[in-house]
Structures are given as C-alpha cells and as structure tokens.
C-alpha cells in the first residue's frame, strides 16, 4: 500500500503515514440514484460509531448507508442492505488504494427507481468513494517510539545533543534525572546506538523502551 508522503528507512518499516486533514462530502447522481459520500478521520471504533450515527440521523430517509473504515490495521465494511460485495468492500478497496489510514467513508444512496445490477452497484460505490478520496488533503503523521532514560544530574549535558531532535514528554527530578522522550522512527536506530554507548560508559543508568 502506497502512503502519500510516507518514507521508510527499511522495507516494511513506515516512518510516517497519511490520514485525512479534513472532512469531505461528495455527491453525484448515477442513473437517477443519488450517491452521497461522507468521509472523516477516525482513530478508534468509538469515533467511527459516532460518525455513523450522525450520518444515519442526517440521512434518515436514505435507502442505504454503506460504509467502510481502515483504522490502523483494523478494517471493516458493511453493505447495509445492498447485495453482498457490491458496496462496502468496493469502498474499502478505494480507501486502501488511496493510501490513507485512520479514515471512515460512508456512501449514502437514495434509490432513484432504476436498478443498477451487481456490476453497476460496484462501479457506482467505487467511483463515489474514489472521487471523495481525491478531495482529501493529507496530514502526514510521523511514527514515534517512546523511551525512558535515567541518569545522574552531572551527565545531563552529555546526552543533550543526542536528544535534540526528540520530544521530551516528561522530566522527573529526584535522586536521579528521569526523562521520557519520543523519537521519530527513522532516527531511533542512531539515537539508541549512541545511548547504548553512553550506558556502557556508565554515563546513563538505564534506558527503557515504552512503545
């Protein structure tokens, strides 16, 4: 799957991914049936369910509200009464083809009195989903890992240059200094190598991966 803007230092390891920056609505008429695509970024099933409830309420008189989502590696689709395989799966396939993740796309249909047939339905839902996805602006999210490092106060300055490209999430000052930091995946190997050397030289006391 090609992710817009994604970069990888090693095959199979994505350093970033793309999710929708904004909600999108797209509408078109196909053989008298009206197809309305609503798309939003969703990061868990609760957000996806709330989005679906809003759309179903908004289009309560619609014939179908077919949908699909891809949240992380979790995927879901529903034909919502259309013949099996003609709506939800084509929508999901278009999401995968776009490269976006953390996205839910609902295609609402108002039946216009002309039956489209299996092939016609697949094409209609695929086309509506694809055109909605073309309107989406990507938001690039850098993948990070979190770590905790513990060391003496006197050695804090020695590791500062190693962590200059990291986000310090927590600072705890007690008998020792404890820092929780996030490092972008693409820089982790270099940072961990330098910190491992510091640990071998007793400059840091411990290093723990949190995620």
């Amino acid at each position: 799957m090609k992710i817009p803007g994604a970069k990888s230092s090693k095959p199979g390891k994505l350093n970033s991914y793309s999710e929708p920056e904004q909600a999108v609505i797209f509408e078109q008429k196909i053989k008298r049936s009206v197809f309305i695509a609503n798309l939003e970024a969703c990061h868990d099933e609760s957000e996806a369910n709330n989005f679906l409830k809003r759309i179903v309420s908004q289009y309560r008189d619609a014939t179908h509200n077919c949908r699909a989502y891809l949240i992380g590696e979790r995927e879901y689709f529903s034909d919502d009464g259309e013949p099996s395989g003609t709506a939800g799966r084509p929508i999901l396939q278009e999401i995968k083809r776009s490269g976006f993740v953390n996205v839910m796309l609902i295609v609402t249909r108002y039946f216009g009195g002309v039956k489209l047939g299996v092939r016609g339905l697949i094409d209609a839902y695929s086309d509506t989903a694809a055109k909605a996805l073309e309107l989406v602006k990507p938001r690039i999210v850098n993948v990070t890992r979190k770590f905790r490092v513990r060391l003496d106060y006197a050695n804090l300055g020695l590791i500062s240059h190693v962590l200059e490209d990291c986000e310090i999430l927590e600072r705890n000052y007690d008998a020792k200094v404890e820092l929780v930091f996030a490092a972008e995946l693409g820089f982790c190997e270099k940072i961990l190598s330098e910190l491992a050397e510091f640990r071998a030289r007793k400059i840091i006391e411990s290093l723990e991966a949190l995620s």
Side-chain angles (χ1 to χ4, degrees):
M1 179 169 63
K2 184 178 180 181
I3 308 295
K7 299 177 182 178
S8 178
S9 57
K10 294 183 179 180
K13 279 195 172 183
L14 288 174
N15 296 331
S16 62
Y17 59 89
S18 181
E19 64 181 29
E21 186 178 66
Q22 86 290 5
V24 163
I25 301 176
F26 171 77
E27 179 178 331
Q28 67 176 346
K29 183 177 286 188
I30 300 174
K31 292 185 178 179
R32 304 206 319 221
S33 282
V34 177
F35 292 83
I36 307 169
N38 279 270
L39 179 152
E40 280 192 12
C42 293
H43 300 90
D44 55 42
E45 291 183 8
S46 176
E47 288 186 5
N49 288 333
N50 288 336
F51 177 37
L52 177 61
K53 287 177 183 177
R54 282 191 282 115
I55 296 302
V56 169
S57 176
Q58 182 177 349
Y59 303 104
R60 60 174 58 89
D61 56 340
T63 316
H64 306 281
N65 286 291
C66 306
R67 63 266 188 186
Y69 68 60
L70 182 62
I71 301 175
E73 296 182 351
R74 299 190 305 278
E75 58 185 55
Y76 162 85
F77 63 86
S78 170
D79 296 307
D80 193 37
E82 292 281 32
S84 179
T86 63
R89 187 180 293 278
I91 296 169
L92 179 61
Q93 288 174 340
E94 292 302 329
I95 293 174
K96 290 182 174 181
R97 188 173 291 116
S98 76
F100 287 106
V101 295
N102 297 337
V103 56
M104 183 172 190
L105 204 165
I106 304 170
V107 179
T108 299
R109 181 189 182 194
Y110 284 89
F111 181 56
V114 177
K115 292 185 177 181
L116 301 181
V118 170
R119 183 71 257 172
L121 286 171
I122 292 172
D123 290 344
Y125 280 102
S126 293
D127 186 66
T128 304
K131 287 177 177 175
L133 286 157
E134 287 174 1
L135 301 176
V136 178
K137 293 181 179 179
R139 185 174 78 88
I140 306 302
V141 180
N142 292 317
V143 178
T144 62
R145 293 187 63 196
K146 290 197 298 184
F147 301 90
R148 179 185 290 114
V149 62
R150 185 175 171 85
L151 67 159
D152 290 324
Y153 284 82
N155 294 330
L156 191 56
L158 296 175
I159 72 163
S160 60
H161 73 282
V162 179
L163 303 182
E164 62 184 1
D165 291 322
C166 301
E167 180 184 1
I168 306 301
L169 303 175
E170 295 179 25
R171 292 180 174 86
N172 299 310
Y173 301 101
D174 202 348
K176 303 278 186 176
V177 180
E178 191 175 270
L179 302 176
V180 175
F181 65 91
E184 291 185 17
L185 194 59
F187 298 112
C188 280
E189 187 173 342
K190 178 178 180 294
I191 292 169
L192 293 179
S193 175
E194 294 185 24
L195 291 179
E197 182 180 341
F198 282 146
R199 187 174 183 183
R201 293 164 53 192
K202 309 296 185 184
I203 292 174
I204 63 174
E205 182 178 294
S206 63
L207 176 65
E208 177 187 2
L210 301 179
S211 66

